[in-house]
Amino acid sequence: MLRGKPEEVAPDPGNLVNSLRDFGYTLPTALADLLDNSLTANAFHIHVIVETEGSNTHIAVIDNGQGMDQNTLVEAMRMGTCGPQFLRQNNDLGRFGLGMKTASLSLGQCLTVISKQEDSDTIARCWDIPYIQNVHRWELLQDLTPVAEQYYEQIKKKTSGTAVIIEKIDRVSFMQLPEVQRNRYASISLELIRKHLAMVFHRFIQEGVKLQLGETLVPPWDPFLCNKSTRLVCERLHFMDNSIGVFPFVLPHHSHLTEKEHEDAGGLHGWNDHQGFYIYRNKRLIVPGSWLNLGFKKEEHFKLARIQVDIPNTMDAEWHLNVMKSHVSVPAYLRDDLLRIGRAARKEAGEVYRFRGERAAPTDAPAERYIWKRTDNQKSVRYRIDITHPVIQSLLHTGCIHETLLRHAIDLIERTVPIATMLQESAKAIEGGVQAEQQLEIEQLVEMFSFTEQFYVRLGKTHKEAREMVLMAEPFCRFQKQLLMRLQLGVSEGKKKEDG
Ligand SMILES: Nc1ncnc2c1ncn2[C@@H]1O[C@H](COP(=O)(O)OP(=O)(O)OP(=O)(O)O)[C@@H](O)[C@H]1O
Ligand SMILES: [Mg+2]
């Protein structure tokens, strides 16, 4: 039934533009959204500037990508250009046609974009919120602020590239402080930005993209410690024409990492928080560790499980990707597969966490010998001392009349490990034991090492063979450098004495 003509009710530009500022970006996530655009434009050098000093406070992202011509730039400034229905290239990191505007304006009230394509003129356009509010129209400005003027000159000199400049910053809390306090918070804030970008774009950086924050390059943060972790079986899940790669990793036990490696691998949010699935959309990290509401909790015991999941940009609707590219939900048809893969990874990770034994050995590393051995006879699991371990072997075969007693003593120790009491301890206290191991006296290690090495030489091995073999055994495998240095020193000191 016809009840009159349709009425056009256009949004009020001033009101809408203010609402679009509140999608929930933070400074790091807003910058990541701008970097998405630079990477989609094939930039391989992206410079992020956060100018907090003086009266010219501003934020800028400058890239050497392919740039835009005038029509493309004007269209790019439109709120909601090329929305989700738009078919994109498979390396495109965008989806909503909003990011450049919503991310920038979430920080400040003035957004200028300057761009240049190869063999073309440099062009610029600007959204200024006070101006929009004043004229009540979506009118783009072509005038340049003094700050934007400097970037215009910079882009003009490039073969191609784009600069996104944000001014009138009113939503970055530390930039609202008086200058003295501002500087104190600026370094903390820059560190958070660095860590966030290192995490979100680590695969691009690893492939050679230079990401510069201020004066320094951002190093990649590899969540999987690829050359130290155990890789579990990878899988490809298929849905319609889409293929999803799943690559589970079990990271090494704390005791297999240096303090620095351990701290670095804890990343921005810490070990516990960074467990679970890592969702990448075209190599860009969307979710940095989550069990994706599959029913698993983040628990200390499973913190070594990190699973890379690669999704293409053709499945955004199914994954419910949000505008900030920070959230997804698992499509129903993938739940069972991800549950199964998550469960298996958690099991392996739990075992490495509880028992820092064989399973902690990285796939490509040479085999190491561990003091404790795990035996599983279907009904029960038992941890036993491996009497073929070089140190134990050398002690058992000293020719001493108490050899049988020594075997009995080992058996006794195995059977009386106070497991129940240990399980009551907090994880921290148990890890304290590992740290204590890392602080083993080097003199004590050298003595034990030399004793064991000599045993194998007496058995007929060459010095080289004996040394290589013992160096691979626990705990010596974790102190190889220090031991070799110390043993080398021992030889030269001995030589000096002889010479003297
Ligand atoms: N640095 C850049 N270099 C070249 N083109 C750019 C750059 N930044 C933005 N653009 C152009 O502007 C358009 C709009 O960018 P915008 O970030 O607003 O949306 P989008 O990237 O298409 O989608 P999303 O909202 O998901 O980010 C892009 O599609 C691209 O064509
Ligand atoms: Mg974008």
Side-chain angles (χ1 to χ4, degrees), residues 171-308:
R171 295 280 180 92
V172 180
S173 57
F174 81 89
M175 281 168 91
Q176 264 55 70
L177 294 171
E179 200 165 337
V180 202
Q181 291 168 325
R182 206 187 302 162
N183 295 341
R184 198 149 51 87
Y185 287 99
S187 56
I188 301 171
S189 184
L190 283 178
E191 202 41 41
L192 286 178
I193 296 173
R194 183 181 308 284
K195 285 191 168 166
H196 186 79
L197 300 182
M199 173 175 84
V200 171
F201 298 106
H202 76 93
R203 286 170 73 176
F204 293 92
I205 306 174
Q206 281 163 326
E207 283 175 10
V209 171
K210 279 191 185 149
L211 204 55
Q212 190 180 337
L213 177 60
E215 299 300 314
T216 52
L217 287 179
V218 177
W221 179 68
D222 168 17
F224 308 111
L225 291 180
C226 284
N227 50 8
K228 290 213 154 195
S229 299
T230 306
R231 287 166 196 262
L232 306 183
V233 184
C234 58
E235 291 191 40
R236 287 225 154 253
L237 308 176
H238 296 276
F239 180 71
M240 314 250 285
D241 284 341
N242 301 300
S243 162
I244 298 147
V246 187
F247 309 88
F249 291 83
V250 175
L251 273 73
H253 188 275
H254 190 160
S255 58
H256 293 249
L257 299 172
T258 63
E259 272 310 308
K260 165 101 177 52
E261 283 171 331
H262 186 259
E263 199 192 320
D264 287 350
L268 190 54
H269 306 298
W271 274 90
N272 221 21
D273 214 43
H274 275 304
Q275 63 184 276
F277 291 97
Y278 283 65
I279 310 291
Y280 292 82
R281 177 178 178 268
N282 290 348
K283 296 187 286 184
R284 191 264 207 221
L285 185 58
I286 306 283
V287 177
S290 158
W291 292 114
L292 304 170
N293 289 327
L294 291 170
F296 302 134
K297 284 206 189 93
K298 284 192 171 169
E299 285 172 60
E300 172 85 15
H301 283 75
F302 303 121
K303 68 180 182 185
L304 302 179
R306 295 184 181 178
I307 307 165
Q308 175 183 329

Side-chain angles (χ1 to χ4, degrees), residues 16 37 77 213 275 361 393:
L16 185 60
N37 291 338
M77 296 299 275
L213 177 60
Q275 63 184 276
Q393 277 286 296

Side-chain angles (χ1 to χ4, degrees), residues 303-408:
K303 68 180 182 185
L304 302 179
R306 295 184 181 178
I307 307 165
Q308 175 183 329
V309 180
D310 285 337
I311 60 173
N313 66 353
T314 41
M315 299 185 73
D316 295 331
E318 284 92 342
W319 281 89
H320 295 281
L321 179 76
N322 67 341
V323 174
M324 289 196 302
K325 322 269 174 11
S326 60
H327 177 81
V328 288
S329 16
V330 180
Y333 50 82
L334 288 177
R335 269 187 86 83
D336 285 349
D337 280 321
L338 292 181
L339 254 173
R340 173 178 53 76
I341 295 168
R343 200 173 283 132
R346 281 161 66 96
K347 182 168 173 282
E348 291 290 329
E351 286 184 13
V352 173
Y353 175 84
R354 273 185 284 271
F355 169 59
R356 50 201 165 89
E358 279 116 317
R359 283 157 195 274
T363 359
D364 302 335
E368 293 171 1
R369 300 298 302 272
Y370 294 88
I371 301 214
W372 287 92
K373 204 172 169 59
R374 180 181 190 273
T375 52
D376 188 344
N377 69 0
Q378 306 285 329
K379 283 192 208 131
S380 63
V381 172
R382 198 172 156 194
Y383 290 97
R384 309 200 60 170
I385 288 175
D386 181 359
I387 56 163
T388 66
H389 183 283
V391 172
I392 313 292
Q393 277 286 296
S394 63
L395 285 173
L396 281 176
H397 297 99
T398 51
C400 152
I401 48 162
H402 298 306
E403 188 184 310
T404 320
L405 268 181
L406 196 54
R407 280 184 188 268
H408 289 335

